[in-house]
Amino acid sequence: MTTEIMPEVSPAVGTEVSGGGGMAPVTPPRWGRGWSSWAVALGLLGILALGGWWLVGARRSAVVATLPATPQPKAGTPALRLESLDGVRLEPAETAAVSAEWHVTGTVELNPQANVVIAPLVSGHIRRVLVTQGTRVRAGQPLVVLDSPEIADLHVRLHDAETRRDIAARNVQRVERDESRVALVQAQARMHQAEATFERMKQLFEAGVLSRQELQDAETAYATAKAEYDFQKVVGLERDLREARAALEVATVEVRHIQDQLAALGAPAGASDDTAHPTAEITLVAPLSGLVTERTANVGAFVPVGTPLLTVADLRTVWVMAAVPEAQLGQVRLGQPVTVHAPVLGATPVRGRVAFIEAQINADTRTARVRIEVPNPGERLRAGMFVEVALLSPSPVAQLVIPAAAVQRIGARTVVFVAGADPHEFHPRDIEVGAIQGDSVVVLRGLEVGERVVVGGALALKTQLVGLEAEE
């Protein structure tokens, strides 16, 4: 009889130890029905737990999705709080029809219409140069002195003409005072004698001593003597006077003509004396106030007519040549206001107007040159400088605007304070602003329509924000 003994530890599944000490294959033991029931129950409980967890999560997601959305501040932007809202005033960002502004680059050029080249109208030798390059001159200031043979010849002719004019003037005075000529004196004497005889004969006729025929003869003699005197006075004296006055007028016209020639050549005649004319000097003067930008004149050099000697530039106004893209050229009009910004001007730009638009577009850059005339305060704008030109569109367009009082400057930042969901909560927002339109400013980016910004009482928020940034 053989007895089976269960080993404490089986060396391997499916094997057993026989009484003879050898290994023999055996069938694995089967689990009981109780154990299987517990396994099924545990599986059903796990499935039920997973389903409940999924249902709860889906319901929670649906609840979160139905909550109203609120404006969220930018990441990293701290929320500011004010316990007291006294003095705080809010205004919404809204759209308004304003003139659009866009920026282009430009180059400063000297105004050629305000530049004058100093050149002589006669040839001659340079005697003196009274200015240097960079000298600031005023209108009428002497610049260059020349010795010109043409000027000397005109002065000689002027002296001769003035001499003839003086002689003619004295001749007129003599003729007007001349009453000692013999013919006139004799005619006057005969007229007085005939007049006396006629008066005496008239008395005798009234007394009945003379006949009427004798009275008529005396009257005829008086009339004849008076006619002869009148003839001598009118024909003689007036003829001489007319001739003297005509000679004076011719001499005066000749003097005036030579003086006009000298003035046209830039050498107006001085006083009429012998020391004023024997000179060949001509002085070139500045026609306007400005800066001497070029000088080619050297003392002793002979210069022909029209040789450039100096250039005087009036820098009170300059040109800005702006390159406007082809797409924006249709918004540029003559007389359109323009604002010019340059580092040399600091924070204060200058304003000008469009004076000319070129008819041709550059084929490479697809831009057209627009000429802008601007004042040059303090002559700070110099030729060749690069500037930024801001042009305003002639027709308004809808843009986002806020009150200018809402804009705060913190260093290089442009900030507004936007109201949050909590009435006491505000969020700083960096924005980019455009053109200023009266009391409003255009917002290019950083805000949305309807967002409320702090217009009054922003100082406390600004102080709080500066303090928070300083702590960081």
Side-chain angles (χ1 to χ4, degrees), residues 193-222:
Q193 184 179 4
E195 182 181 11
T197 301
F198 172 66
E199 293 294 334
R200 187 174 60 255
M201 298 294 283
K202 185 189 296 185
Q203 294 174 359
L204 293 176
F205 173 76
E206 292 174 354
V209 177
L210 293 178
S211 63
R212 180 174 295 277
Q213 182 63 38
E214 291 175 327
L215 178 61
Q216 292 176 348
D217 292 342
E219 185 178 4
T220 301
Y222 168 67

Side-chain angles (χ1 to χ4, degrees), residues 87-308:
V88 176
R89 185 165 57 90
L90 303 177
E91 292 288 345
E94 55 188 6
T95 57
V98 297
S99 297
E101 181 181 87
W102 73 95
H103 296 259
V104 296
T105 58
T107 306
V108 178
E109 296 182 2
L110 294 180
N111 184 356
Q113 299 176 357
N115 291 353
V116 178
V117 177
I118 308 300
L121 300 177
V122 293
S123 59
H125 290 84
I126 299 177
R127 173 179 287 189
R128 292 190 302 275
V129 181
L130 306 177
V131 295
T132 60
Q133 186 175 8
T135 302
R136 192 170 301 278
V137 298
R138 64 184 184 279
Q141 179 177 336
L143 303 177
V144 181
V145 179
L146 297 177
D147 276 338
S148 173
E150 299 175 44
I151 299 300
D153 180 65
L154 285 174
H155 276 299
V156 171
R157 290 172 51 194
L158 177 61
H159 180 64
D160 294 342
E162 287 177 340
T163 301
R164 289 190 293 270
R165 181 194 60 186
D166 295 341
I167 293 174
R170 289 193 293 269
N171 188 40
V172 169
Q173 295 175 358
R174 182 187 61 79
V175 172
E176 289 175 344
R177 295 193 306 266
D178 190 8
E179 298 179 357
S180 61
R181 288 177 299 171
V182 177
L184 182 61
V185 172
Q186 290 177 351
Q188 186 179 21
R190 286 192 294 268
M191 182 190 68
H192 290 324
Q193 184 179 4
E195 182 181 11
T197 301
F198 172 66
E199 293 294 334
R200 187 174 60 255
M201 298 294 283
K202 185 189 296 185
Q203 294 174 359
L204 293 176
F205 173 76
E206 292 174 354
V209 177
L210 293 178
S211 63
R212 180 174 295 277
Q213 182 63 38
E214 291 175 327
L215 178 61
Q216 292 176 348
D217 292 342
E219 185 178 4
T220 301
Y222 168 67
T224 302
K226 186 176 183 303
E228 182 181 0
Y229 173 74
D230 291 339
F231 175 80
Q232 291 294 336
K233 181 179 179 181
V234 174
V235 175
L237 183 60
E238 292 297 329
R239 180 188 57 201
D240 294 344
L241 186 59
R242 285 198 301 272
E243 292 177 353
R245 287 176 176 172
L248 175 61
E249 184 177 355
V250 170
T252 302
V253 170
E254 185 179 5
V255 169
R256 189 181 304 116
H257 176 67
I258 298 175
Q259 287 176 341
D260 291 342
Q261 284 184 291
L262 288 169
L265 295 175
S272 297
D273 55 22
D274 292 340
T275 61
H277 300 305
T279 177
E281 282 191 0
I282 175 174
T283 303
L284 306 183
V285 299
L288 50 80
S289 299
L291 190 71
V292 178
T293 57
E294 294 183 23
R295 170 188 163 172
T296 58
N298 294 314
V299 176
F302 178 82
V303 291
V305 177
T307 302

